[in-house]
Amino acid sequence: MTAPQRQNGGRVLVIGAAGNTGRYIVSRLTELGVPVRAATRQGGLPGGSVEAVRFDWADATSHDAALAGVERMYLIAPREVEDPSALMLPFIERALARGVRRAVLLSASAIPEGTPGHGTVHQALRERMPEWTVLQPSWFMQNFADPKHHFGAAIRRDGLMVTATGQGRVGFVDAHDIAEVAVRALTDERAHDTAHVITGPQALGYDDIAAILTRVTGRPVRHQAVSTDEAQRFMEAGGMPAPYARFLAQLEETIRNGAEDRVTQTVSRVTGREPRSFEDFARAHAASWR
Ligand SMILES: NC(=O)c1ccc[n+]([C@@H]2O[C@H](COP(=O)([O-])OP(=O)(O)OC[C@H]3O[C@@H](n4cnc5c(N)ncnc54)[C@H](OP(=O)(O)O)[C@@H]3O)[C@@H](O)[C@H]2O)c1
């Protein structure tokens, strides 16, 4: 089998380049010598050593410049938009018309192909993109450390996580492990052409997370299990738009019902190394909760 022709120098457009996965993907691709264009809403990255472009999903006038000369792209949806497909599907068509031939989409384990939103984008990539991968990670460990995330903020403020997850367990995963899988999907000679369900090494409940954070930080952290409606109200009270809060609360209900209680071998199979445990993650980020 012959290697595919590299178009546009193999340049990779990374959307969400300042985010949890995007930041890490940009630095790994740069280390590997892959030409990268980092897309952010501000149009730059700290340090300024990587080619950058201003990109906003909601502003179609920013799309052509982002796509010029690109062969591959990493796609992450606009934040807190309940159905991002209306913005993402036309962009994928535009990318195809401009010579993009490989795309890697960050979706979620909770979102099956073909369902509204990310699931529709997933289906479009499989059907339309010559080379494609959809990443379906479980929930990110970073949610607990990020002060902009409602869990990260509430842990810092009140030592409390309020969820509708009950005793349900989740295969929490470090975003860096997801990014490592993304880098392989973007750079491997042979496209993965599949969906990867990605988890960390253990399924843990939010009570377990609270216990680990208490032990590691030396500050009491609690988990309060509430109904789906109460979880939604809690997220709205923190400033989240109501439709997105509803969506997240319903996902928490699926966790309560066991939907995320699993671990997969994707990280070790694709990257050749073991995924990080939450205990290890918490120790590495301990300073961020002090
Ligand atoms: N967090 C989880 O537990 C979890 C679990 C499974 C799947 N996911 C998926 O992961 C994605 C979010 O990841 P994350 O929570 O780690 O967030 P993140 O990547 O740290 O932050 C979101 C990124 O999206 C960019 N963005 C937001 N709105 C945009 C817009 N209108 N135009 C262009 N860029 C925009 C932001 O860019 P700027 O820097 O320019 O603001 C930011 O870099 C979502 O698609 C979610 O479905 C998350």
Side-chain angles (χ1 to χ4, degrees), residues 75-78 81-85 88-89 105-108 111-124 134-135 244 247:
L75 298 175
I76 171 168
V81 173
E82 194 192 6
D83 182 353
S85 65
M88 296 178 81
L89 296 179
L105 168 71
L106 179 63
S107 182
I111 304 177
E113 180 183 348
T115 55
H118 280 90
T120 305
V121 182
H122 177 157
Q123 182 176 347
V134 176
L135 309 178
Y244 195 69
F247 172 67

Side-chain angles (χ1 to χ4, degrees), residues 16 19-20 41 56-57 76 78-79 106-107 118 138-140 143:
N20 281 321
R41 279 180 289 184
D56 190 332
W57 281 112
I76 171 168
R79 206 170 196 165
L106 179 63
S107 182
H118 280 90
S138 190
W139 296 78
F140 296 3
N143 297 348

